[in-house]
Amino acid sequence: MTGSSAGGSTSGPEPAAFISHSSHDKRLFVRPLVECIADQGVDVWYDEYSMRPGDSLSASIDRGLATAHQGVVVISPAFIETAKQSGWTHYELRGIVSNSIGGSHRRIVPVWLDVTADDVREWSPPLADLLAIDASTKPIEAVALEIVQVIAPSKAGGLQRQRFMQMMRQKGRSAQARLHDLNAAPIVERRTPGSVPLRALLVTQILADCGAEHASDFVGFLEDLARDLHHETELRLWEAIAGSYSLACSTYDLDSAQRLALYKTLVLASFGQADEEAVEVLTPDVAGPVLEHFQTLMSMVRGEAVIGEGGLRGLLMPVEPSDDEAASPAAGDIS
């Protein structure tokens, strides 16, 4: 079957994007790409996730095209060849283009895989005119991040945290993996208040004894902030991690293994995840209060605090914009 894409379940939330691709590219590129996107908590419509035995292929694709907010099109030689033969990629692309015309915040996100601008232009001049993500020379994780920045900008970012999680997943290689070998989107030079590097220095100094090689890398930390779409929010989140880490280390007598487990527990908690092994090393009696305190600090990440007599008087939590409202117009609008 020519791989169409689908993401979350048919009864779940509306997917952020419909991912159209050729089945030829599924195993080596598209499946790992979708897994990376899902790791950031973004639902996409992907056939292997959304379809069940007995489902109608055309009906499932139509449902995905109708409900997905945007269309990610993985354009490869196999995709183009199938589209020329009026196969499934042609059917999906027609639906994605139709949705993007006149649709509010509906856009096409082209991903070029082993094709050039001339290849795409020869087949489809309108698609060649859209700003695309070139996946031919980038790690899959970097491509996934760029896609998330477009289809779900509120969930984009956290490069330093994502890389630590990737290192944990690379069980056999984690000890040798260097932070800057693990990929990333280009560094964006931006002007920030002078307090940003000072705050970053405090974070890296606090976490320096956790046992994770990259945790004290001040230069790398700033470079990752420069790559992150929401660098201020990301820095606040790291301050919450560092604050919880510092309090736990001053409250409990933790050995080196427990400090690393504490760091891992806090980073995973920032993604809304948990690791039973890390909690076991840390011990539930320590992990419970630490995570409770961390959630309190997390409530300050996007809110405003009221301080006065007695210290912290309260928190003001803003209403966050939806991903559609926050979406950047940089990705290909075909309308």
Side-chain angles (χ1 to χ4, degrees):
M1 180 183 80
T2 304
S4 69
S5 306
S9 67
T10 56
S11 59
E14 291 187 354
F18 180 103
I19 304 180
S20 179
H21 68 284
S22 165
S23 59
H24 180 272
D25 306 311
K26 183 186 295 291
R27 184 175 65 87
L28 295 180
F29 181 77
V30 179
R31 186 183 295 127
L33 177 70
V34 172
E35 290 172 352
C36 288
I37 293 173
D39 281 345
Q40 298 187 54
V42 179
D43 290 311
V44 293
W45 205 93
Y46 176 66
D47 53 3
E48 292 186 327
Y49 290 174
S50 296
M51 295 181 63
R52 301 292 180 266
D55 284 352
S56 164
L57 178 58
S58 59
S60 296
I61 292 175
D62 287 345
R63 182 167 55 248
L65 289 169
T67 57
H69 296 292
Q70 303 184 57
V72 176
V73 184
V74 181
I75 303 174
S76 68
F79 183 99
I80 293 175
E81 184 61 30
T82 304
K84 287 180 177 178
Q85 298 174 9
S86 297
W88 283 111
T89 59
H90 175 75
Y91 181 86
E92 294 166 1
L93 184 58
R94 285 181 57 191
I96 292 172
V97 170
S98 178
N99 283 341
S100 72
I101 297 175
S104 175
H105 300 297
R106 293 222 177 187
R107 58 170 60 86
I108 300 173
V109 185
V111 177
W112 293 356
L113 180 65
D114 299 327
V115 294
T116 66
D118 289 339
D119 295 331
V120 179
R121 187 176 296 109
E122 181 181 348
W123 164 60
S124 174
L127 278 180
D129 189 51
L130 298 180
L131 182 63
I133 299 171
D134 190 347
S136 302
T137 59
K138 296 178 182 177
I140 289 176
E141 293 82 7
V143 176
L145 177 62
E146 290 190 53
I147 291 173
V148 172
Q149 286 178 338
V150 176
I151 68 174
S154 68
K155 296 181 179 179
L159 281 169
Q160 186 95 346
R161 293 178 292 130
Q162 291 176 40
R163 292 188 199 187
F164 175 73
M165 294 181 69
Q166 184 180 351
M167 288 168 71
M168 292 299 100
R169 287 195 292 265
Q170 293 178 320
K171 295 179 181 178
R173 296 170 49 202
S174 59
Q176 293 78 31
R178 291 181 54 81
L179 181 65
H180 296 291
D181 293 338
L182 294 177
N183 121 32
I187 297 174
V188 178
E189 187 167 303
R190 48 166 60 103
R191 181 173 296 183
T192 68
S195 59
V196 167
L198 292 176
R199 291 157 62 194
L201 179 62
L202 287 173
V203 168
T204 53
Q205 287 298 299
I206 290 171
L207 298 174
D209 69 346
C210 74
E213 180 183 349
H214 70 275
S216 61
D217 183 0
F218 172 65
V219 173
F221 189 94
L222 286 181
E223 288 180 348
D224 278 340
L225 284 183
R227 290 182 175 101
D228 274 318
L229 188 63
H230 306 292
H231 70 278
E232 173 60 29
T233 298
E234 185 64 19
L235 180 54
R236 290 188 189 184
L237 197 151
W238 273 106
E239 289 171 327
I241 291 175
S244 293
Y245 179 89
S246 177
L247 180 63
C249 289
S250 63
T251 303
Y252 304 100
D253 183 18
L254 304 178
D255 60 28
S256 58
Q258 289 176 310
R259 287 174 182 257
L260 180 58
L262 170 63
Y263 177 73
K264 183 177 182 181
T265 297
L266 291 170
V267 173
L268 286 170
S270 72
F271 285 105
Q273 301 177 20
D275 184 275
E276 293 182 3
E277 183 179 343
V279 170
E280 189 65 29
V281 172
L282 193 56
T283 77
D285 290 342
V286 174
V290 166
L291 289 174
E292 184 177 350
H293 179 261
F294 178 64
Q295 292 306 318
T296 300
L297 296 188
M298 281 290 289
S299 65
M300 302 179 189
V301 170
R302 288 185 171 84
E304 294 183 342
V306 179
I307 59 175
E309 185 178 355
L312 182 63
R313 302 284 294 171
L315 297 173
L316 302 177
M317 304 306 296
V319 177
E320 295 188 21
S322 67
D323 283 327
D324 279 350
E325 294 171 333
S328 164
D333 253 330
I334 202 168
S335 56

